[in-house]
Amino acid sequence: MATLLVDSVKDSSGNHYGLRSGNILQTRFYEYTAVFEGVSESVQRELPGILGNGLAGITMHGTNNHVLCETTLQVGHNSTWRQNAFRQYYRVNQGSWTPHNNANFLSYTYVESSSGMLRSTKVMTILDPGTLTVGDTIYFKYTYQGHQNGGILHLNKNNSSNSTAVLNGFSVASTMQLSEIYRTS
């Protein structure tokens, strides 16, 4: 039995049909809905659950493809200002964790009271992991770091009343979406 493998079909005018560079081959979606309150210190720590435990991954179908990582963090607060820095790490299969230096971001929040306020902080990054083997899995995780005076992270925390209760009153979710992006070379 013969197998025909093509990455695109081109007509006599040069129009391509089928896969093109930039097409999304697959997507994996992860979410974290619990309320998490960090500690006030200037030490880098992993985000909770699937956002920081290193289990969010995507198994690649191509050897030259990129990964688009879209992350949204719902950063709530108590009555004051907050500033948190976030760093993305990745690894291929069971390799070492590598910081993705183009994927770092900050969240700065200030609101006068504690009533129903949070900030959706979003980052989109493209990772070129280098040469892969079909079936390699790329895993992602995030860390956070506050500052010594007011840097406590309040992930998914929001209230409909002027309260500092640890609630997710509006059912928000912090999410990570991984997409494999096709590349011809």
Side-chain angles (χ1 to χ4, degrees):
M1 173 183 256
T3 303
L4 175 64
L5 300 174
V6 296
D7 65 1
S8 68
V9 176
K10 188 173 15 171
D11 66 15
S12 60
S13 299
N15 297 314
H16 287 270
Y17 302 96
L19 290 178
R20 294 184 184 177
S21 285
N23 284 30
I24 294 176
L25 296 180
Q26 63 167 319
T27 297
R28 298 290 177 262
F29 184 79
Y30 301 94
E31 71 177 8
Y32 181 81
T33 58
V35 175
F36 171 80
E37 294 197 284
V39 293
S40 181
E41 60 184 290
S42 55
V43 174
Q44 185 176 196
R45 298 185 179 276
E46 292 177 344
L47 282 177
I50 196 68
L51 302 172
N53 66 14
L55 297 177
I58 189 165
T59 301
M60 304 297 283
H61 293 309
T63 58
N64 292 315
N65 295 342
H66 289 162
V67 178
L68 170 64
C69 181
E70 301 174 77
T71 303
T72 302
L73 301 178
Q74 306 293 347
V75 182
H77 67 282
N78 288 343
S79 179
T80 189
W81 62 281
R82 300 281 181 251
Q83 184 170 328
N84 290 277
F86 301 93
R87 177 175 280 174
Q88 182 189 86
Y89 290 85
Y90 73 95
R91 73 176 182 192
V92 178
N93 297 320
Q94 298 305 312
S96 300
W97 287 105
T98 303
H100 185 196
N101 292 326
N102 293 329
N104 302 327
F105 59 105
L106 293 170
S107 172
Y108 180 81
T109 306
Y110 176 80
V111 176
E112 187 66 29
S113 70
S114 303
S115 186
M117 300 293 183
L118 60 86
R119 176 187 171 97
S120 296
T121 300
K122 183 171 181 99
V123 65
M124 296 174 67
T125 60
I126 293 181
L127 173 69
D128 178 358
T131 304
L132 298 170
T133 301
V134 172
D136 283 348
T137 301
I138 301 175
Y139 296 97
F140 290 85
K141 71 176 181 176
Y142 283 91
T143 61
Y144 75 96
Q145 183 172 339
H147 56 88
Q148 293 179 350
N149 298 309
I152 298 172
L153 175 62
H154 297 285
L155 196 65
N156 299 332
K157 182 178 180 181
N158 59 79
N159 298 297
S160 59
S161 63
N162 192 11
S163 166
T164 59
V166 182
L167 299 173
N168 187 350
F170 296 103
S171 301
V172 298
S174 293
T175 62
M176 185 186 324
Q177 180 173 304
L178 307 174
S179 301
E180 182 177 3
I181 307 298
Y182 179 73
R183 260 187 50 202
T184 57
S185 59

